[in-house]
PDB file of all heavy atoms in Angstrom:
ATOM      1  N   LEU A   1      -5.225  39.198 -18.025  1.00 45.00           N
ATOM      2  CA  LEU A   1      -6.576  39.630 -18.472  1.00 45.00           C
ATOM      3  C   LEU A   1      -7.115  40.682 -17.704  1.00 45.00           C
ATOM      4  O   LEU A   1      -6.919  40.578 -16.467  1.00 45.00           O
ATOM      5  CB  LEU A   1      -7.460  38.279 -18.429  1.00 45.00           C
ATOM      6  CG  LEU A   1      -7.061  37.090 -19.228  1.00 45.00           C
ATOM      7  CD1 LEU A   1      -8.068  35.989 -19.159  1.00 45.00           C
ATOM      8  CD2 LEU A   1      -6.892  37.445 -20.701  1.00 45.00           C
ATOM      9  N   ARG A   2      -7.752  41.482 -18.342  1.00 49.00           N
ATOM     10  CA  ARG A   2      -8.438  42.789 -17.643  1.00 49.00           C
ATOM     11  C   ARG A   2      -9.959  42.302 -17.448  1.00 49.00           C
ATOM     12  O   ARG A   2     -10.813  42.917 -18.152  1.00 49.00           O
ATOM     13  CB  ARG A   2      -8.257  43.945 -18.377  1.00 49.00           C
ATOM     14  CG  ARG A   2      -6.866  44.408 -18.585  1.00 49.00           C
ATOM     15  CD  ARG A   2      -6.755  45.644 -19.365  1.00 49.00           C
ATOM     16  NE  ARG A   2      -7.134  45.569 -20.641  1.00 49.00           N
ATOM     17  CZ  ARG A   2      -6.280  45.096 -21.624  1.00 49.00           C
ATOM     18  NH1 ARG A   2      -5.090  44.744 -21.427  1.00 49.00           N
ATOM     19  NH2 ARG A   2      -6.850  45.040 -22.834  1.00 49.00           N
ATOM     20  N   VAL A   3     -10.154  41.443 -16.550  1.00 44.00           N
ATOM     21  CA  VAL A   3     -11.508  40.883 -16.329  1.00 44.00           C
ATOM     22  C   VAL A   3     -11.802  40.858 -14.792  1.00 44.00           C
ATOM     23  O   VAL A   3     -11.014  40.371 -14.044  1.00 44.00           O
ATOM     24  CB  VAL A   3     -11.616  39.475 -16.900  1.00 44.00           C
ATOM     25  CG1 VAL A   3     -12.954  38.878 -16.644  1.00 44.00           C
ATOM     26  CG2 VAL A   3     -11.404  39.542 -18.435  1.00 44.00           C
ATOM     27  N   ASP A   4     -12.963  41.503 -14.389  1.00 42.00           N
ATOM     28  CA  ASP A   4     -13.289  41.436 -12.999  1.00 42.00           C
ATOM     29  C   ASP A   4     -14.440  40.274 -12.839  1.00 42.00           C
ATOM     30  O   ASP A   4     -15.057  39.884 -13.867  1.00 42.00           O
ATOM     31  CB  ASP A   4     -13.967  42.712 -12.570  1.00 42.00           C
ATOM     32  CG  ASP A   4     -15.111  43.225 -13.407  1.00 42.00           C
ATOM     33  OD1 ASP A   4     -16.176  42.784 -13.125  1.00 42.00           O
ATOM     34  OD2 ASP A   4     -14.895  43.957 -14.386  1.00 42.00           O
ATOM     35  N   PRO A   5     -14.700  39.816 -11.710  1.00 46.00           N
ATOM     36  CA  PRO A   5     -15.744  38.732 -11.432  1.00 46.00           C
ATOM     37  C   PRO A   5     -17.087  39.047 -11.869  1.00 46.00           C
ATOM     38  O   PRO A   5     -17.753  38.204 -12.572  1.00 46.00           O
ATOM     39  CB  PRO A   5     -15.726  38.530  -9.922  1.00 46.00           C
ATOM     40  CG  PRO A   5     -14.431  39.004  -9.494  1.00 46.00           C
ATOM     41  CD  PRO A   5     -14.082  40.221 -10.378  1.00 46.00           C
ATOM     42  N   VAL A   6     -17.588  40.246 -11.852  1.00 37.00           N
ATOM     43  CA  VAL A   6     -18.966  40.601 -12.221  1.00 37.00           C
ATOM     44  C   VAL A   6     -18.941  40.572 -13.822  1.00 37.00           C
ATOM     45  O   VAL A   6     -19.992  39.952 -14.353  1.00 37.00           O
ATOM     46  CB  VAL A   6     -19.281  42.106 -11.842  1.00 37.00           C
ATOM     47  CG1 VAL A   6     -20.638  42.367 -12.429  1.00 37.00           C
ATOM     48  CG2 VAL A   6     -19.409  42.083 -10.247  1.00 37.00           C
ATOM     49  N   SER A   7     -18.113  41.102 -14.538  1.00 47.00           N
ATOM     50  CA  SER A   7     -18.047  41.102 -15.961  1.00 47.00           C
ATOM     51  C   SER A   7     -17.968  39.741 -16.454  1.00 47.00           C
ATOM     52  O   SER A   7     -18.599  39.222 -17.406  1.00 47.00           O
ATOM     53  CB  SER A   7     -16.767  42.019 -16.490  1.00 47.00           C
ATOM     54  OG  SER A   7     -16.863  43.204 -16.145  1.00 47.00           O
ATOM     55  N   SER A   8     -17.183  38.852 -15.774  1.00 45.00           N
ATOM     56  CA  SER A   8     -17.016  37.573 -16.136  1.00 45.00           C
ATOM     57  C   SER A   8     -18.346  36.747 -15.946  1.00 45.00           C
ATOM     58  O   SER A   8     -18.731  35.851 -16.772  1.00 45.00           O
ATOM     59  CB  SER A   8     -15.843  36.868 -15.358  1.00 45.00           C
ATOM     60  OG  SER A   8     -15.723  35.558 -15.789  1.00 45.00           O
ATOM     61  N   ALA A   9     -18.926  36.873 -14.909  1.00 44.00           N
ATOM     62  CA  ALA A   9     -20.281  36.177 -14.555  1.00 44.00           C
ATOM     63  C   ALA A   9     -21.232  36.484 -15.634  1.00 44.00           C
ATOM     64  O   ALA A   9     -22.100  35.713 -15.980  1.00 44.00           O
ATOM     65  CB  ALA A   9     -20.747  36.626 -13.193  1.00 44.00           C
ATOM     66  N   PHE A  10     -21.265  37.821 -16.232  1.00 38.00           N
ATOM     67  CA  PHE A  10     -22.293  38.137 -17.180  1.00 38.00           C
ATOM     68  C   PHE A  10     -21.830  37.995 -18.551  1.00 38.00           C
ATOM     69  O   PHE A  10     -22.407  38.345 -19.477  1.00 38.00           O
ATOM     70  CB  PHE A  10     -22.627  39.595 -16.994  1.00 38.00           C
ATOM     71  CG  PHE A  10     -23.688  39.668 -15.693  1.00 38.00           C
ATOM     72  CD1 PHE A  10     -23.168  40.084 -14.485  1.00 38.00           C
ATOM     73  CD2 PHE A  10     -25.071  39.430 -15.889  1.00 38.00           C
ATOM     74  CE1 PHE A  10     -23.978  40.200 -13.386  1.00 38.00           C
ATOM     75  CE2 PHE A  10     -25.879  39.499 -14.729  1.00 38.00           C
ATOM     76  CZ  PHE A  10     -25.410  39.867 -13.421  1.00 38.00           C
ATOM     77  N   SER A  11     -20.530  37.462 -18.730  1.00 52.00           N
ATOM     78  CA  SER A  11     -19.810  37.248 -20.041  1.00 52.00           C
ATOM     79  C   SER A  11     -20.107  38.445 -20.872  1.00 52.00           C
ATOM     80  O   SER A  11     -20.472  38.360 -22.083  1.00 52.00           O
ATOM     81  CB  SER A  11     -20.498  35.987 -20.620  1.00 52.00           C
ATOM     82  OG  SER A  11     -19.852  35.636 -21.766  1.00 52.00           O
ATOM     83  N   LEU A  12     -19.803  39.647 -20.452  1.00 47.00           N
ATOM     84  CA  LEU A  12     -19.813  40.908 -21.257  1.00 47.00           C
ATOM     85  C   LEU A  12     -18.917  40.818 -22.409  1.00 47.00           C
ATOM     86  O   LEU A  12     -17.996  40.055 -22.424  1.00 47.00           O
ATOM     87  CB  LEU A  12     -19.530  41.997 -20.323  1.00 47.00           C
ATOM     88  CG  LEU A  12     -20.336  42.321 -19.111  1.00 47.00           C
ATOM     89  CD1 LEU A  12     -20.017  43.459 -18.296  1.00 47.00           C
ATOM     90  CD2 LEU A  12     -21.806  42.417 -19.561  1.00 47.00           C
ATOM     91  N   PRO A  13     -19.151  41.612 -23.376  1.00 54.00           N
ATOM     92  CA  PRO A  13     -18.416  41.585 -24.756  1.00 54.00           C
ATOM     93  C   PRO A  13     -16.811  41.665 -24.437  1.00 54.00           C
ATOM     94  O   PRO A  13     -16.151  40.967 -25.169  1.00 54.00           O
ATOM     95  CB  PRO A  13     -19.060  42.705 -25.448  1.00 54.00           C
ATOM     96  CG  PRO A  13     -20.377  42.985 -25.015  1.00 54.00           C
ATOM     97  CD  PRO A  13     -20.294  42.606 -23.520  1.00 54.00           C
ATOM     98  N   HIS A  14     -16.367  42.589 -23.548  1.00 53.00           N
ATOM     99  CA  HIS A  14     -15.000  42.792 -23.422  1.00 53.00           C
ATOM    100  C   HIS A  14     -14.307  41.450 -22.758  1.00 53.00           C
ATOM    101  O   HIS A  14     -13.150  41.255 -23.038  1.00 53.00           O
ATOM    102  CB  HIS A  14     -14.689  44.029 -22.644  1.00 53.00           C
ATOM    103  CG  HIS A  14     -14.817  43.877 -21.148  1.00 53.00           C
ATOM    104  ND1 HIS A  14     -15.991  44.084 -20.446  1.00 53.00           N
ATOM    105  CD2 HIS A  14     -13.901  43.583 -20.219  1.00 53.00           C
ATOM    106  CE1 HIS A  14     -15.785  43.836 -19.173  1.00 53.00           C
ATOM    107  NE2 HIS A  14     -14.533  43.527 -19.003  1.00 53.00           N
ATOM    108  N   VAL A  15     -15.214  40.871 -22.040  1.00 53.00           N
ATOM    109  CA  VAL A  15     -14.700  39.562 -21.506  1.00 53.00           C
ATOM    110  C   VAL A  15     -14.471  38.557 -22.555  1.00 53.00           C
ATOM    111  O   VAL A  15     -13.412  37.913 -22.666  1.00 53.00           O
ATOM    112  CB  VAL A  15     -15.702  39.006 -20.380  1.00 53.00           C
ATOM    113  CG1 VAL A  15     -15.185  37.626 -20.006  1.00 53.00           C
ATOM    114  CG2 VAL A  15     -15.791  39.978 -19.225  1.00 53.00           C
ATOM    115  N   ARG A  16     -15.384  38.370 -23.445  1.00 59.00           N
ATOM    116  CA  ARG A  16     -15.255  37.357 -24.655  1.00 59.00           C
ATOM    117  C   ARG A  16     -14.125  37.854 -25.444  1.00 59.00           C
ATOM    118  O   ARG A  16     -13.361  37.000 -26.005  1.00 59.00           O
ATOM    119  CB  ARG A  16     -16.542  37.358 -25.300  1.00 59.00           C
ATOM    120  CG  ARG A  16     -17.684  36.925 -24.535  1.00 59.00           C
ATOM    121  CD  ARG A  16     -19.045  36.521 -25.448  1.00 59.00           C
ATOM    122  NE  ARG A  16     -19.508  37.657 -26.032  1.00 59.00           N
ATOM    123  CZ  ARG A  16     -20.413  38.478 -25.534  1.00 59.00           C
ATOM    124  NH1 ARG A  16     -21.060  38.019 -24.354  1.00 59.00           N
ATOM    125  NH2 ARG A  16     -20.927  39.529 -26.183  1.00 59.00           N
ATOM    126  N   GLN A  17     -13.944  39.120 -25.602  1.00 66.00           N
ATOM    127  CA  GLN A  17     -12.837  39.501 -26.416  1.00 66.00           C
ATOM    128  C   GLN A  17     -11.394  39.258 -25.857  1.00 66.00           C
ATOM    129  O   GLN A  17     -10.523  38.814 -26.427  1.00 66.00           O
ATOM    130  CB  GLN A  17     -12.739  41.119 -26.672  1.00 66.00           C
ATOM    131  CG  GLN A  17     -11.837  41.575 -27.540  1.00 66.00           C
ATOM    132  CD  GLN A  17     -11.917  43.134 -27.769  1.00 66.00           C
ATOM    133  OE1 GLN A  17     -12.827  43.755 -27.207  1.00 66.00           O
ATOM    134  NE2 GLN A  17     -10.888  43.717 -28.449  1.00 66.00           N
ATOM    135  N   GLU A  18     -11.362  39.435 -24.522  1.00 61.00           N
ATOM    136  CA  GLU A  18     -10.157  39.100 -23.757  1.00 61.00           C
ATOM    137  C   GLU A  18      -9.884  37.599 -23.777  1.00 61.00           C
ATOM    138  O   GLU A  18      -8.757  37.120 -24.022  1.00 61.00           O
ATOM    139  CB  GLU A  18     -10.254  39.378 -22.272  1.00 61.00           C
ATOM    140  CG  GLU A  18     -10.206  40.958 -21.976  1.00 61.00           C
ATOM    141  CD  GLU A  18      -8.804  41.399 -21.866  1.00 61.00           C
ATOM    142  OE1 GLU A  18      -7.869  40.642 -21.516  1.00 61.00           O
ATOM    143  OE2 GLU A  18      -8.597  42.645 -22.233  1.00 61.00           O
ATOM    144  N   GLU A  19     -10.963  36.820 -23.755  1.00 70.00           N
ATOM    145  CA  GLU A  19     -10.787  35.343 -23.820  1.00 70.00           C
ATOM    146  C   GLU A  19     -10.423  34.880 -25.089  1.00 70.00           C
ATOM    147  O   GLU A  19      -9.538  33.929 -25.316  1.00 70.00           O
ATOM    148  CB  GLU A  19     -12.090  34.594 -23.369  1.00 70.00           C
ATOM    149  CG  GLU A  19     -12.466  34.805 -21.846  1.00 70.00           C
ATOM    150  CD  GLU A  19     -13.758  34.217 -21.642  1.00 70.00           C
ATOM    151  OE1 GLU A  19     -14.737  34.003 -22.514  1.00 70.00           O
ATOM    152  OE2 GLU A  19     -14.171  34.103 -20.413  1.00 70.00           O
ATOM    153  N   ARG A  20     -10.995  35.461 -26.266  1.00 76.00           N
ATOM    154  CA  ARG A  20     -10.476  35.221 -27.559  1.00 76.00           C
ATOM    155  C   ARG A  20      -9.000  35.579 -27.777  1.00 76.00           C
ATOM    156  O   ARG A  20      -8.186  34.856 -28.322  1.00 76.00           O
ATOM    157  CB  ARG A  20     -11.287  35.892 -28.657  1.00 76.00           C
ATOM    158  CG  ARG A  20     -12.739  35.369 -28.771  1.00 76.00           C
ATOM    159  CD  ARG A  20     -13.416  35.932 -30.061  1.00 76.00           C
ATOM    160  NE  ARG A  20     -13.556  37.262 -29.953  1.00 76.00           N
ATOM    161  CZ  ARG A  20     -14.616  37.813 -29.495  1.00 76.00           C
ATOM    162  NH1 ARG A  20     -15.666  37.144 -29.058  1.00 76.00           N
ATOM    163  NH2 ARG A  20     -14.788  39.303 -29.381  1.00 76.00           N
ATOM    164  N   GLY A  21      -8.556  36.684 -27.242  1.00 71.00           N
ATOM    165  CA  GLY A  21      -7.156  37.093 -27.280  1.00 71.00           C
ATOM    166  C   GLY A  21      -6.241  36.054 -26.568  1.00 71.00           C
ATOM    167  O   GLY A  21      -5.186  35.839 -27.070  1.00 71.00           O
ATOM    168  N   ALA A  22      -6.668  35.676 -25.370  1.00 78.00           N
ATOM    169  CA  ALA A  22      -5.887  34.676 -24.672  1.00 78.00           C
ATOM    170  C   ALA A  22      -5.738  33.326 -25.436  1.00 78.00           C
ATOM    171  O   ALA A  22      -4.611  32.815 -25.477  1.00 78.00           O
ATOM    172  CB  ALA A  22      -6.560  34.406 -23.341  1.00 78.00           C
ATOM    173  N   ARG A  23      -6.814  32.908 -25.971  1.00 87.00           N
ATOM    174  CA  ARG A  23      -6.746  31.635 -26.762  1.00 87.00           C
ATOM    175  C   ARG A  23      -5.837  31.870 -28.027  1.00 87.00           C
ATOM    176  O   ARG A  23      -5.097  30.925 -28.261  1.00 87.00           O
ATOM    177  CB  ARG A  23      -8.125  31.225 -27.110  1.00 87.00           C
ATOM    178  CG  ARG A  23      -8.204  29.859 -27.813  1.00 87.00           C
ATOM    179  CD  ARG A  23      -9.738  29.430 -27.864  1.00 87.00           C
ATOM    180  NE  ARG A  23     -10.262  29.265 -26.659  1.00 87.00           N
ATOM    181  CZ  ARG A  23     -10.285  28.060 -26.114  1.00 87.00           C
ATOM    182  NH1 ARG A  23      -9.729  26.974 -26.757  1.00 87.00           N
ATOM    183  NH2 ARG A  23     -10.967  27.830 -24.937  1.00 87.00           N
ATOM    184  N   GLY A  24      -5.911  32.998 -28.619  1.00 86.00           N
ATOM    185  CA  GLY A  24      -5.173  33.139 -29.714  1.00 86.00           C
ATOM    186  C   GLY A  24      -3.640  33.290 -29.407  1.00 86.00           C
ATOM    187  O   GLY A  24      -2.750  32.660 -30.160  1.00 86.00           O
ATOM    188  N   ARG A  25      -3.331  33.932 -28.233  1.00 87.00           N
ATOM    189  CA  ARG A  25      -1.860  33.982 -27.800  1.00 87.00           C
ATOM    190  C   ARG A  25      -1.477  32.543 -27.401  1.00 87.00           C
ATOM    191  O   ARG A  25      -0.339  32.185 -27.793  1.00 87.00           O
ATOM    192  CB  ARG A  25      -1.871  34.793 -26.533  1.00 87.00           C
ATOM    193  CG  ARG A  25      -0.454  34.772 -25.780  1.00 87.00           C
ATOM    194  CD  ARG A  25       0.575  35.294 -26.417  1.00 87.00           C
ATOM    195  NE  ARG A  25       1.760  35.468 -25.505  1.00 87.00           N
ATOM    196  CZ  ARG A  25       2.947  35.842 -26.004  1.00 87.00           C
ATOM    197  NH1 ARG A  25       3.137  36.316 -27.308  1.00 87.00           N
ATOM    198  NH2 ARG A  25       3.921  35.903 -25.233  1.00 87.00           N
ATOM    199  N   ALA A  26      -2.322  31.727 -26.849  1.00 91.00           N
ATOM    200  CA  ALA A  26      -2.006  30.378 -26.457  1.00 91.00           C
ATOM    201  C   ALA A  26      -1.695  29.634 -27.721  1.00 91.00           C
ATOM    202  O   ALA A  26      -0.615  28.823 -27.829  1.00 91.00           O
ATOM    203  CB  ALA A  26      -3.007  29.734 -25.696  1.00 91.00           C
ATOM    204  N   MET A  27      -2.481  29.630 -28.711  1.00 92.00           N
ATOM    205  CA  MET A  27      -2.277  28.868 -29.931  1.00 92.00           C
ATOM    206  C   MET A  27      -0.879  29.332 -30.652  1.00 92.00           C
ATOM    207  O   MET A  27      -0.205  28.471 -31.336  1.00 92.00           O
ATOM    208  CB  MET A  27      -3.421  29.055 -30.973  1.00 92.00           C
ATOM    209  CG  MET A  27      -4.682  28.400 -30.361  1.00 92.00           C
ATOM    210  SD  MET A  27      -4.381  26.673 -29.640  1.00 92.00           S
ATOM    211  CE  MET A  27      -3.978  25.800 -31.282  1.00 92.00           C
ATOM    212  N   ASP A  28      -0.713  30.711 -30.670  1.00 92.00           N
ATOM    213  CA  ASP A  28       0.644  31.197 -31.144  1.00 92.00           C
ATOM    214  C   ASP A  28       1.769  30.455 -30.494  1.00 92.00           C
ATOM    215  O   ASP A  28       2.758  30.002 -31.208  1.00 92.00           O
ATOM    216  CB  ASP A  28       0.752  32.554 -31.063  1.00 92.00           C
ATOM    217  CG  ASP A  28      -0.308  33.316 -32.053  1.00 92.00           C
ATOM    218  OD1 ASP A  28      -0.641  32.746 -32.980  1.00 92.00           O
ATOM    219  OD2 ASP A  28      -0.458  34.608 -31.827  1.00 92.00           O
ATOM    220  N   VAL A  29       1.831  30.606 -29.119  1.00 92.00           N
ATOM    221  CA  VAL A  29       2.954  29.944 -28.425  1.00 92.00           C
ATOM    222  C   VAL A  29       3.018  28.358 -28.602  1.00 92.00           C
ATOM    223  O   VAL A  29       4.044  27.818 -28.797  1.00 92.00           O
ATOM    224  CB  VAL A  29       2.699  30.192 -26.773  1.00 92.00           C
ATOM    225  CG1 VAL A  29       3.767  29.511 -26.034  1.00 92.00           C
ATOM    226  CG2 VAL A  29       2.809  31.659 -26.623  1.00 92.00           C
ATOM    227  N   ILE A  30       1.810  27.794 -28.587  1.00 94.00           N
ATOM    228  CA  ILE A  30       1.870  26.334 -28.887  1.00 94.00           C
ATOM    229  C   ILE A  30       2.457  25.992 -30.262  1.00 94.00           C
ATOM    230  O   ILE A  30       3.135  25.109 -30.456  1.00 94.00           O
ATOM    231  CB  ILE A  30       0.414  25.804 -28.889  1.00 94.00           C
ATOM    232  CG1 ILE A  30      -0.106  25.570 -27.376  1.00 94.00           C
ATOM    233  CG2 ILE A  30       0.190  24.497 -29.619  1.00 94.00           C
ATOM    234  CD1 ILE A  30      -1.544  25.261 -27.134  1.00 94.00           C
ATOM    235  N   GLY A  31       2.114  26.899 -31.317  1.00 93.00           N
ATOM    236  CA  GLY A  31       2.602  26.768 -32.595  1.00 93.00           C
ATOM    237  C   GLY A  31       4.089  26.920 -32.636  1.00 93.00           C
ATOM    238  O   GLY A  31       4.808  26.079 -33.214  1.00 93.00           O
ATOM    239  N   TYR A  32       4.714  27.873 -31.908  1.00 90.00           N
ATOM    240  CA  TYR A  32       6.020  28.236 -31.909  1.00 90.00           C
ATOM    241  C   TYR A  32       6.833  27.185 -31.339  1.00 90.00           C
ATOM    242  O   TYR A  32       7.997  26.716 -31.748  1.00 90.00           O
ATOM    243  CB  TYR A  32       6.268  29.567 -31.150  1.00 90.00           C
ATOM    244  CG  TYR A  32       7.731  29.947 -31.187  1.00 90.00           C
ATOM    245  CD1 TYR A  32       8.288  30.622 -32.315  1.00 90.00           C
ATOM    246  CD2 TYR A  32       8.443  29.713 -30.017  1.00 90.00           C
ATOM    247  CE1 TYR A  32       9.575  30.923 -32.300  1.00 90.00           C
ATOM    248  CE2 TYR A  32       9.886  30.135 -30.120  1.00 90.00           C
ATOM    249  CZ  TYR A  32      10.359  30.663 -31.258  1.00 90.00           C
ATOM    250  OH  TYR A  32      11.737  30.981 -31.212  1.00 90.00           O
ATOM    251  N   LEU A  33       6.305  26.501 -30.172  1.00 91.00           N
ATOM    252  CA  LEU A  33       7.071  25.541 -29.624  1.00 91.00           C
ATOM    253  C   LEU A  33       6.731  24.069 -30.156  1.00 91.00           C
ATOM    254  O   LEU A  33       7.218  23.133 -29.533  1.00 91.00           O
ATOM    255  CB  LEU A  33       6.833  25.567 -28.014  1.00 91.00           C
ATOM    256  CG  LEU A  33       7.449  26.860 -27.350  1.00 91.00           C
ATOM    257  CD1 LEU A  33       6.898  26.837 -25.941  1.00 91.00           C
ATOM    258  CD2 LEU A  33       8.900  26.737 -27.555  1.00 91.00           C
ATOM    259  N   GLY A  34       6.020  23.958 -31.169  1.00 91.00           N
ATOM    260  CA  GLY A  34       5.815  22.714 -31.820  1.00 91.00           C
ATOM    261  C   GLY A  34       4.868  21.809 -31.028  1.00 91.00           C
ATOM    262  O   GLY A  34       4.935  20.478 -31.004  1.00 91.00           O
ATOM    263  N   LEU A  35       3.843  22.378 -30.233  1.00 95.00           N
ATOM    264  CA  LEU A  35       3.000  21.641 -29.398  1.00 95.00           C
ATOM    265  C   LEU A  35       1.663  21.423 -30.055  1.00 95.00           C
ATOM    266  O   LEU A  35       0.845  20.996 -29.342  1.00 95.00           O
ATOM    267  CB  LEU A  35       2.882  22.399 -28.068  1.00 95.00           C
ATOM    268  CG  LEU A  35       4.110  22.462 -27.172  1.00 95.00           C
ATOM    269  CD1 LEU A  35       4.015  23.334 -26.003  1.00 95.00           C
ATOM    270  CD2 LEU A  35       4.464  20.991 -26.722  1.00 95.00           C
ATOM    271  N   GLU A  36       1.558  21.693 -31.350  1.00 95.00           N
ATOM    272  CA  GLU A  36       0.062  21.727 -31.858  1.00 95.00           C
ATOM    273  C   GLU A  36      -0.444  20.228 -31.714  1.00 95.00           C
ATOM    274  O   GLU A  36      -1.671  20.187 -31.480  1.00 95.00           O
ATOM    275  CB  GLU A  36       0.183  22.066 -33.451  1.00 95.00           C
ATOM    276  CG  GLU A  36       0.564  23.403 -33.725  1.00 95.00           C
ATOM    277  CD  GLU A  36       2.070  23.434 -34.157  1.00 95.00           C
ATOM    278  OE1 GLU A  36       2.885  22.665 -33.506  1.00 95.00           O
ATOM    279  OE2 GLU A  36       2.371  24.213 -35.097  1.00 95.00           O
ATOM    280  N   PRO A  37       0.257  19.161 -31.833  1.00 95.00           N
ATOM    281  CA  PRO A  37      -0.272  17.783 -31.906  1.00 95.00           C
ATOM    282  C   PRO A  37      -0.879  17.517 -30.444  1.00 95.00           C
ATOM    283  O   PRO A  37      -1.702  16.547 -30.314  1.00 95.00           O
ATOM    284  CB  PRO A  37       0.862  16.793 -31.991  1.00 95.00           C
ATOM    285  CG  PRO A  37       1.792  17.714 -32.910  1.00 95.00           C
ATOM    286  CD  PRO A  37       1.774  19.013 -32.298  1.00 95.00           C
ATOM    287  N   TYR A  38      -0.408  18.307 -29.410  1.00 96.00           N
ATOM    288  CA  TYR A  38      -0.771  17.981 -28.034  1.00 96.00           C
ATOM    289  C   TYR A  38      -1.790  18.944 -27.431  1.00 96.00           C
ATOM    290  O   TYR A  38      -2.073  18.849 -26.282  1.00 96.00           O
ATOM    291  CB  TYR A  38       0.540  17.983 -27.223  1.00 96.00           C
ATOM    292  CG  TYR A  38       1.616  17.210 -27.727  1.00 96.00           C
ATOM    293  CD1 TYR A  38       2.743  17.676 -28.376  1.00 96.00           C
ATOM    294  CD2 TYR A  38       1.553  15.769 -27.815  1.00 96.00           C
ATOM    295  CE1 TYR A  38       3.694  16.996 -28.958  1.00 96.00           C
ATOM    296  CE2 TYR A  38       2.660  15.071 -28.282  1.00 96.00           C
ATOM    297  CZ  TYR A  38       3.671  15.723 -28.850  1.00 96.00           C
ATOM    298  OH  TYR A  38       4.737  14.902 -29.390  1.00 96.00           O
ATOM    299  N   ALA A  39      -2.314  20.021 -28.152  1.00 95.00           N
ATOM    300  CA  ALA A  39      -3.008  21.134 -27.642  1.00 95.00           C
ATOM    301  C   ALA A  39      -4.217  20.596 -26.836  1.00 95.00           C
ATOM    302  O   ALA A  39      -4.480  21.169 -25.799  1.00 95.00           O
ATOM    303  CB  ALA A  39      -3.396  22.051 -28.735  1.00 95.00           C
TER     304      ALA A  39
END
């Protein structure tokens, strides 16, 4: 993630975008490995 402590503290738009991207990536990997019931 390209997030610094100041941006994260103020929850700037690019921070929220990075977090959404990370969550989307996690759900993709969870789906690929059949871990959806355990997320």
